[in-house]
Amino acid sequence: RTQSAATAETLIALRDVAVEYGVGAGRHRVLSGIELEVARGSFVSIIGPSGCGKSTLLRVLAGLVAPSAGAVAIAGLSPADAVKRRLIGLVFQDANLLPWKSALDNAAFLLEVSDRRLKRAETRARALEILKLVGLERAAGRRPSQLSGGMRQRVSIARALALDPEILLMDEPFGALDAITREEMSYFLLDLWQRTRKTVVFVTHSIDEAVFLSSRVHVMGVGPARILDTIDVPLAYPRTEACFEDPAFARTEARLRALLLEGHGKGSEP
Ligand code: ADP
Ligand code: MG
């Protein structure tokens, strides 16, 4: 653990969090003993095999799922209060845009529904500003069907940023994109992160995506789902193509791969 990570202000803290789904005999534990700390302004990834509970963990942070045990604090608030104070923006794998609305109106959507007092001209001006931030001002008038997959995902990021949240929770946001677009989006997201200073919690099952983007990776395993280990990525920002050639990149990838295999039950299970 580095000095800067130890002294940085903790924005998100989970203590011994458990989540159970279902009722009666169908009740089962999905997360157990989750301990997590995220420093303000950092970019962290959560990685783990499909079905291990990554989305559930993000839903806990977003106030969409209540833990059955443990404590969650976001800037000292409960997730529900953090959402009310607009501290949290959400981005999912599917951009989920309204097909009949333009990119601009989709970006303005949360502004419109969350603040009825805003005049239409104000929400549109704010949405245009955000579209500029994500490099889409020239596509403002286009419908989702007239945008590429990467552009649609940028609109969904713009929509999440429109309320100026402090935290961006991203659930496999590039999972549906082709490899090249995915890599472009990685550079785009890091650049956006550096310009906006948001705190990003990024869920992925891609090892190289986690290493390339984050300063810290939390590895989840199954049976019961928990955080197996936390790895600091020894690569400086800004990250460039040269990172992929850096021996530290390959070393970190190899460590994560070993941890994931272990968490998949191929290693020693107590
Ligand atoms: P991941 O995002 O890592 O793929 P999820 O958090 O989506 O994992 O799911 C974790 C586990 O919880 C899976 O076994 C899934 O089937 C189960 N699960 C997810 N959502 C629900 C739900 N609403 N009700 C019951 N079980 C669920
Ligand atoms: Mg998921």
Side-chain angles (χ1 to χ4, degrees), residues 21-22 28 30 48-57 59 171-172 203 220:
Y21 282 129
H28 61 288
V30 173
S50 174
C52 76
K54 304 180 296 296
S55 295
T56 301
L57 181 53
R59 282 188 211 121
D171 195 351
E172 308 201 32
V203 163
M220 288 182 73

Side-chain angles (χ1 to χ4, degrees), residues 98-103 106 139-147 152:
L98 297 170
W100 62 90
K101 282 187 182 261
S102 67
N106 269 290
R142 292 203 221 160
R143 301 262 165 88
S145 63
Q146 300 169 309
L147 301 169
R152 281 200 289 271

